[in-house]
């Protein structure tokens, strides 16, 4: 065969090769760019929509809104859908930056969103069946995290998506390429690095590096050590697989891989690596961030309810817009309040349990200490959530309700010695939890209305109900100052005297007569001033004063100073028979401390958006309730409670030593309150700086001490308030001054009762409940 013949024979082959080369050339030079253009513009809606440039510049990250105290301490993990707190590049620290570069994208600073070298390496690995790792850059991963390129909404879905699995993967990857290049054009490398760390998940409800660093190591990102940074950066290969809390061996192996890469790229010295690689991962500071941990748990839960409405009215999303919310709480005062609650209630519960066991009785008793028959079965169980859920499911007459209520199951229950793993039925669990006494505590700054400490109960994880705002109970003698303030406003001096004797007051309701008795069940027959009668909570004299000033005037006084609950104009309200909340009581007593001006208690001072722009600032709601003279006289009368009444332990030797008997250098006013049967114990103390109050009682009013003195406010609620006051006035960082109440310059009313006595003889009067020392 001649050379010409051979050439002619090869021409078809050469022609095919040439055509193939031109096809490849056309695909590469023309087709691929055309394909990229088609995906970018969603040609004929084949490929689905891409985020707009506006969305690229303002990606929706569902940022956590953070809550701060007045002294700058973050409260808990904030409000979030995803627990994400963004940081800037400068806040990352070198260790995190180097770990991510070494583990994920060493050429990050030189490519423009797509790393061609890595792509060719991956392609070659696929062809030769020897994969050499992933080819996604940090920018591509950020695009996937920000815009969920592989989770397509119905309205964004293209015609070709969902047709074929391979085609889907190609389209998804193409979108990531396009978005990564666009991100590189819109942001600096530093911004992309920070955005990446802010968007990734780390398990345990931690989204973003700041939450992860806090959760796993209780540090800020820039404080992380080399090995800690390597742990978190390495988790991105598989969050669950490499979580240090559940897969420590996998996590340690992955950490060492990242550190070896850091050695390879000169981010870490080889000798340092040899030392670090054998060390175990230290998770001593590991704390899962949730609403059951941290400071002011009750407060945070209650604040969220008001913040939801406030933010909605402002046009913001509390759980996604990354707001900064500044509260009036003081972290130091809050910690002291929680410590005082814990210490006092732990001791009180031990006493209650001891007496309950010694008496060998059921939990629910009447005023005479007699067990209330079938109270648990007929009143407690039907009100329980477990019972109501079963009734909704099976019907009230179904045997299934009784079966499941009595079925044993594994539970973790609260105890003052720590949580206990046990086996209980729902019936047993309800009875068990009912035995715990409950409490609420609140402290406000009277001059501003700012709430400084809020403890809604004894343990938020197990008892969610907030006793500060929602726990309305009878205040007992805590209501009496409103009666006496009405009398003072009408011109009656606190030095007017009455005889402690039986009274019978016609109420105006037919032949009905109100004839209250004293707490101790007897009348002394002694003459005493209004000031001393209030200090000792003498019901008979309070009733006489009520008969003088009349119930409607007392109701008006209570409303003016801050009581918002409905109070009917009955004579018996003088002894605190109508339910009120601790929140209301503190606001009302704050009026006395604030020279007669009522300021509604508040706890949100201002709110900033994620850019630091102020979007809300609280404006105090003020009203002049009573004149300054009346307010001062009431403070002076409440001082008598500390000198000679039920608050005497505040200064008495061997107790709290908060002031001296004469209160010449430090004024404290106080009032106790105890309801009938000692179901509720109250105590409020007032200084120029702080109004602090506590309530203590059982979940049901029928849960109480058998002997009334054991449950009076001076013994149940006072210790919480007293310990709190001891701590805050001993803390020099709070800058609280032990000052005296300032007498108004033009006060003409006589208040020094050793100099003046005027005997009145009104009608008759009261008892119902109250404190004896």
């Amino acid at each position: 065969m001649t050379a010409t013949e051979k050439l002619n024979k090869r021409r078809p082959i050469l022609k095919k090769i040439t055509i193939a080369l031109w096809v490849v050339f056309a695909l590469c030079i023309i087709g691929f760019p055309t394909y990229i253009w088609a995906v970018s513009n969603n040609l004929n809606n084949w490929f689905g929509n891409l985020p707009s440039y506006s969305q690229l510049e303002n990606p929706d990250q569902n940022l956590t809104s953070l809550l701060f105290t007045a002294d700058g301490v973050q409260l808990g993990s904030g409000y979030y859908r995803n627990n994400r707190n963004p940081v800037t590049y400068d806040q990352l620290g070198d260790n995190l930056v180097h770990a991510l570069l070494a583990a994920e994208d060493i050429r990050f600073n030189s490519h423009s969103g797509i790393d061609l070298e890595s792509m060719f390496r991956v392609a070659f690995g696929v062809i030769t069946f020897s994969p050499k790792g992933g080819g996604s850059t940090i920018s591509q991963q950020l695009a996937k995290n920000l815009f969920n390129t592989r989770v397509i909404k119905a309205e964004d879905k293209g015609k070709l998506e969902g047709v074929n699995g391979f085609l889907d993967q190609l389209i998804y990857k193409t979108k990531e390429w396009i978005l990564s290049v666009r991100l590189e054009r819109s942001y600096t490398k530093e911004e992309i690095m920070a955005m990446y760390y802010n968007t990734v998940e780390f398990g345990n409800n931690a989204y973003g590096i700041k939450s992860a660093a806090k959760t796993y190591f209780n540090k800020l990102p820039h404080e992380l050590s080399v090995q800690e940074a390597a742990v978190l950066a390495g988790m991105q290969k598989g969050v669950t697989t490499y979580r240090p809390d559940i897969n420590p061996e996998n996590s340690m192996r992955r950490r060492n891989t990242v550190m070896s890469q850091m050695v390879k790229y000169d981010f870490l010295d080889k000798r340092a690596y040899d030392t670090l690689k054998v060390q175990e991962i230290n998770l001593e500071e590991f704390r899962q961030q949730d609403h059951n941990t941290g400071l002011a748990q009750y407060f945070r839960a209650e604040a969220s309810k008001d913040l939801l409405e406030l933010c909605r009215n402002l046009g913001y999303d509390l759980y996604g817009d990354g707001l900064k919310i500044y509260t009036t709480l003081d972290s130091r005062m809050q910690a002291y309040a929680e410590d005082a609650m814990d210490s006092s209630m732990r001791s009180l519960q031990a006493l209650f349990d001891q007496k309950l066991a010694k008496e060998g009785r059921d939990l629910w008793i009447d005023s005479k200490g007699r067990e209330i028959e079938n109270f648990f079965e007929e009143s407690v169980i039907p009100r329980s959530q477990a019972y109501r859920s079963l009734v909704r499911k099976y019907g009230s007459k179904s045997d299934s309700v009784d079966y499941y209520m009595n079925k044993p199951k594994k539970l973790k229950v609260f105890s003052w010695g720590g949580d206990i793993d046990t086996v209980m039925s729902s019936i047993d669990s309800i009875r068990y939890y009912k035995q715990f006494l409950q409490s609420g505590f609140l402290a406000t700054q009277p001059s501003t209305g700012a709430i400084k400490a809020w403890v809604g109960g004894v343990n938020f994880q197990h008892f969610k109900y907030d006793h500060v705002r929602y726990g309305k109970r009878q205040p007992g003698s805590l209501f009496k100052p409103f009666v006496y303030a009405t009398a003072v406003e009408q011109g009656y001096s606190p030095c007017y005297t009455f005889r402690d004797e039986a009274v019978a007051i016609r109420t105006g309701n037919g032949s009905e007569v109100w004839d209250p008795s004293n707490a101790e069940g007897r009348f002394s027959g002694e003459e005493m001033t209004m000031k001393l009668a209030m200090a000792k909570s003498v019901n008979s004299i309070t009733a006489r004063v009520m008969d003088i000033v009349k119930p409607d005037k007392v109701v008006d006084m209570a409303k003016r100073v801050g009581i918002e609950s409905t109070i009917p104009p009955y004579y018996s309200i003088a002894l605190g028979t109508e339910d009120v909340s601790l929140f209301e009581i503190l606001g009302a007593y704050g009026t006395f401390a604030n020279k007669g001006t009522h300021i509604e208690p508040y706890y949100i001072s201002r709110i900033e958006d994620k850019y630091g722009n102020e979007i809300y600032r609280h404006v105090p709601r003020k009203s002049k309730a009573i004149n300054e003279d009346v307010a001062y006289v009431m403070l002076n009368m409440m001082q008598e409670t500390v000198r000679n009444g039920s608050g005497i332990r505040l200064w008495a030797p061997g107790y709290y030593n908060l002031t001296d008997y004469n209160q010449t250098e430090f004024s404290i006013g106080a009032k106790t309150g105890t309801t009938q049967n000692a179901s509720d114990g109250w105590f409020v103390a007032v200084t120029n700086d702080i109004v602090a109050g506590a309530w203590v009682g059982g979940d049901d009013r029928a849960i109480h001490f058998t002997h009334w003195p054991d449950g009076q406010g001076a013994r149940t609620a006072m210790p919480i308030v007293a310990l709190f006051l001891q701590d805050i006035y001993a803390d020099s960082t709070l800058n609280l001054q032990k000052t005296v109440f300032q007498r108004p310059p033009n006060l003409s009313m006589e208040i020094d009762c050793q100099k003046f006595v005027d005997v009145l003889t009104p009608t008759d009067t009261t008892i119902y409940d109250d404190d004896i020392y």
Side-chain angles (χ1 to χ4, degrees), residues 754-767:
Q754 293 179 344
K755 299 178 180 178
F756 174 73
V757 174
D758 188 354
V759 180
L760 290 184
T761 310
T763 59
D764 284 314
T765 173
T766 160
I767 174 180

Side-chain angles (χ1 to χ4, degrees), residues 115-344:
D115 186 359
L116 294 177
E117 182 177 333
S118 293
M119 290 179 63
F120 286 128
R121 171 174 49 79
V122 172
F124 181 78
V126 171
I127 294 171
T128 60
F129 301 99
S130 57
K132 301 291 185 181
S136 291
T137 64
I138 291 173
S139 302
Q140 287 174 245
Q141 294 179 51
L142 174 60
K144 182 170 64 176
N145 293 338
L146 279 178
F147 302 108
N148 293 323
T149 54
R150 304 190 182 196
V151 181
I152 309 298
K153 297 179 182 178
E155 62 268 25
D156 294 331
K157 192 172 183 179
K159 295 177 181 178
L160 296 179
E161 290 176 314
V163 173
N164 177 273
F166 174 78
L167 185 59
D168 283 350
Q169 293 301 315
L170 177 61
I171 293 173
Y172 297 156
K173 181 58 70 173
T174 304
K175 288 182 176 181
E176 289 171 16
W177 291 336
I178 295 169
L179 288 175
S180 65
V181 172
R182 290 182 179 178
L183 284 170
E184 291 273 351
R185 291 174 180 173
S186 300
Y187 297 97
T188 66
K189 290 289 185 180
E190 289 79 8
E191 289 172 331
I192 290 173
M193 173 73 75
M195 289 173 70
Y196 173 85
Y197 263 128
N198 286 331
T199 58
V200 291
E201 180 187 357
F202 292 89
N204 284 304
N205 206 26
Y207 293 82
I209 192 61
K210 187 173 183 180
S211 296
K214 179 71 173 178
T215 296
Y216 289 100
F217 303 110
N218 195 27
K219 292 182 178 180
L220 293 173
H222 72 273
E223 297 173 335
L224 295 171
S225 64
V226 171
Q227 60 268 43
E228 291 167 345
V231 167
L232 297 181
M235 286 173 67
Q236 295 315 300
K237 188 175 181 180
V239 175
T240 302
T241 303
Y242 298 110
R243 261 177 55 182
D245 57 318
I246 60 175
N247 290 310
E249 293 181 0
N250 289 350
S251 181
M252 185 174 176
R253 185 164 55 251
R254 177 63 180 159
R255 177 201 69 180
N256 290 348
T257 298
V258 173
M259 289 196 300
S260 69
Q261 289 291 97
M262 295 174 72
V263 172
K264 177 180 177 180
Y265 297 118
D266 295 326
F267 294 134
L268 181 64
D269 182 75
K270 179 64 167 60
R271 286 175 296 181
Y273 168 73
D274 291 336
T275 300
L276 296 175
K277 70 179 182 180
V278 298
Q279 296 179 5
E280 299 287 336
I281 299 174
N282 185 354
L283 291 180
E284 291 182 0
E285 296 294 327
F286 171 76
R287 296 289 185 277
Q288 184 171 351
Q289 304 297 302
D290 60 34
H291 299 300
N292 290 324
T293 60
L295 204 63
Q297 297 159 32
Y298 285 96
F299 169 77
R300 282 148 44 195
E302 289 308 310
S304 69
K305 300 171 185 177
D306 291 335
L307 285 168
L308 266 174
E309 181 177 359
L310 176 59
C311 291
R312 190 181 300 117
N313 292 337
L314 293 170
Y316 288 86
D317 177 7
L318 175 64
Y319 291 97
D321 282 345
L323 306 176
K324 289 185 178 180
I325 303 158
Y326 296 91
T327 74
T328 61
L329 258 63
D330 185 285
S331 66
R332 296 156 295 185
M333 290 191 186
Q334 181 67 29
Y336 291 139
E338 292 182 11
D339 288 345
M341 172 78 78
D342 184 89
S343 174
S344 298

Side-chain angles (χ1 to χ4, degrees), residues 297-299 301-302 305 341 345 383 416 433-434 436-443 453-460 462-474 478 579-586 679-682 693-701 703 720:
Q297 297 159 32
Y298 285 96
F299 169 77
E302 289 308 310
K305 300 171 185 177
M341 172 78 78
M345 293 305 295
R383 288 186 282 117
W416 280 107
Y433 275 115
K434 284 292 184 179
F436 289 100
L437 297 175
Q438 302 297 325
S439 184
F441 173 89
L442 189 67
W454 178 317
V455 188
V458 296
N459 184 282
F460 181 74
H462 294 280
F463 304 99
K464 302 293 188 188
Y465 188 78
D466 182 82
H467 292 283
V468 169
R469 175 175 281 176
Y470 302 112
K472 291 190 175 185
R473 301 286 282 261
Q474 292 178 341
L478 217 59
D579 291 352
V580 295
S581 70
L582 186 60
F583 191 91
E584 294 173 87
I585 286 290
L586 266 286
S679 297
D680 305 277
W682 302 75
W695 164 87
V696 175
D699 263 345
D700 299 317
R701 297 178 199 264
I703 299 173
I720 302 173

Side-chain angles (χ1 to χ4, degrees), residues 722-773:
L723 290 174
F724 171 76
L725 292 176
Q726 275 187 330
D727 286 336
I728 65 171
Y729 277 101
D731 188 339
S732 59
T733 67
L734 289 170
N735 296 316
L736 299 177
Q737 304 298 318
K738 292 185 174 182
T739 56
V740 298
F741 298 137
Q742 293 298 312
R743 178 177 177 135
N746 298 319
L747 178 67
S748 59
M749 181 175 288
E750 182 60 60
I751 60 174
D752 184 351
C753 298
Q754 293 179 344
K755 299 178 180 178
F756 174 73
V757 174
D758 188 354
V759 180
L760 290 184
T761 310
T763 59
D764 284 314
T765 173
T766 160
I767 174 180
Y768 182 84
D769 52 20
D770 233 305
D771 299 277
I772 54 173
Y773 175 66

Side-chain angles (χ1 to χ4, degrees), residues 462-750:
H462 294 280
F463 304 99
K464 302 293 188 188
Y465 188 78
D466 182 82
H467 292 283
V468 169
R469 175 175 281 176
Y470 302 112
K472 291 190 175 185
R473 301 286 282 261
Q474 292 178 341
S477 292
L478 217 59
F479 197 85
K480 289 178 180 175
F482 309 137
V483 178
Y484 288 101
T486 306
V488 172
E489 188 175 60
Q490 293 181 10
Y492 294 95
S493 164
C495 299
Y496 285 1
T497 64
F498 299 85
R499 188 179 301 280
D500 175 21
E501 60 187 3
V503 293
I505 299 173
R506 292 193 176 277
T507 65
N509 184 18
S511 59
E512 183 180 84
V513 173
W514 183 48
D515 56 347
S517 59
N518 286 334
E520 60 271 33
R522 59 183 178 82
F523 303 100
S524 67
E526 297 177 4
E527 293 266 352
M528 62 179 71
T529 63
M530 287 202 308
K531 180 189 290 190
L532 187 60
M534 192 181 87
K536 291 183 175 293
S537 286
V538 180
N539 290 336
S540 63
I541 293 177
T542 305
R544 290 185 183 278
V545 175
M546 173 61 100
D547 194 31
I548 294 172
V549 300
K550 303 307 178 188
D552 59 328
K553 299 296 184 183
V554 173
V555 170
D556 176 64
M557 171 63 69
K559 294 295 183 184
R560 278 188 281 145
V561 297
I563 299 299
E564 296 180 351
S565 294
T566 301
I567 308 294
Y570 302 150
Y571 280 89
S572 59
I573 64 172
L575 304 178
T577 56
E578 301 301 319
D579 291 352
V580 295
S581 70
L582 186 60
F583 191 91
E584 294 173 87
I585 286 290
L586 266 286
Y589 274 64
T591 303
F592 298 137
N594 194 37
K595 301 180 180 181
T597 297
H598 173 66
I599 304 180
E600 184 178 315
Y602 74 99
Y603 50 81
I604 303 299
S605 57
R606 61 189 176 91
I607 302 175
E608 294 177 355
D609 66 14
K610 63 183 177 182
Y611 303 111
N613 302 312
E614 186 175 288
I615 60 173
Y616 171 81
R617 180 174 289 272
H618 178 76
V619 178
R621 298 183 179 93
K622 299 182 180 181
S623 61
K624 190 64 178 177
I626 54 179
N627 67 47
E628 185 178 351
D629 289 356
V630 174
Y632 174 77
V633 171
M634 292 312 302
L635 292 179
N636 180 267
M637 291 179 70
M638 284 191 279
Q639 282 182 271
E640 192 68 22
T641 301
V642 179
R643 290 192 183 100
N644 293 305
S646 51
I648 198 170
R649 292 179 183 176
L650 291 182
W651 70 266
Y655 290 98
Y656 301 108
N657 300 311
L658 281 166
T659 185
D660 57 54
Y661 172 80
N662 293 312
Q663 301 184 68
T664 54
E665 297 180 357
F666 181 29
S667 295
I668 298 179
K671 190 70 192 79
T672 52
T674 312
T675 56
Q676 193 175 32
N677 306 341
S679 297
D680 305 277
W682 302 75
F683 187 81
V684 175
V686 179
T687 73
N688 283 323
D689 299 304
I690 289 290
V691 178
W695 164 87
V696 175
D699 263 345
D700 299 317
R701 297 178 199 264
I703 299 173
H704 52 81
F705 284 94
T706 302
H707 301 288
W708 188 89
D710 291 329
Q712 60 180 302
R715 296 185 181 178
T716 60
M718 181 198 290
I720 302 173
V721 177
L723 290 174
F724 171 76
L725 292 176
Q726 275 187 330
D727 286 336
I728 65 171
Y729 277 101
D731 188 339
S732 59
T733 67
L734 289 170
N735 296 316
L736 299 177
Q737 304 298 318
K738 292 185 174 182
T739 56
V740 298
F741 298 137
Q742 293 298 312
R743 178 177 177 135
N746 298 319
L747 178 67
S748 59
M749 181 175 288
E750 182 60 60

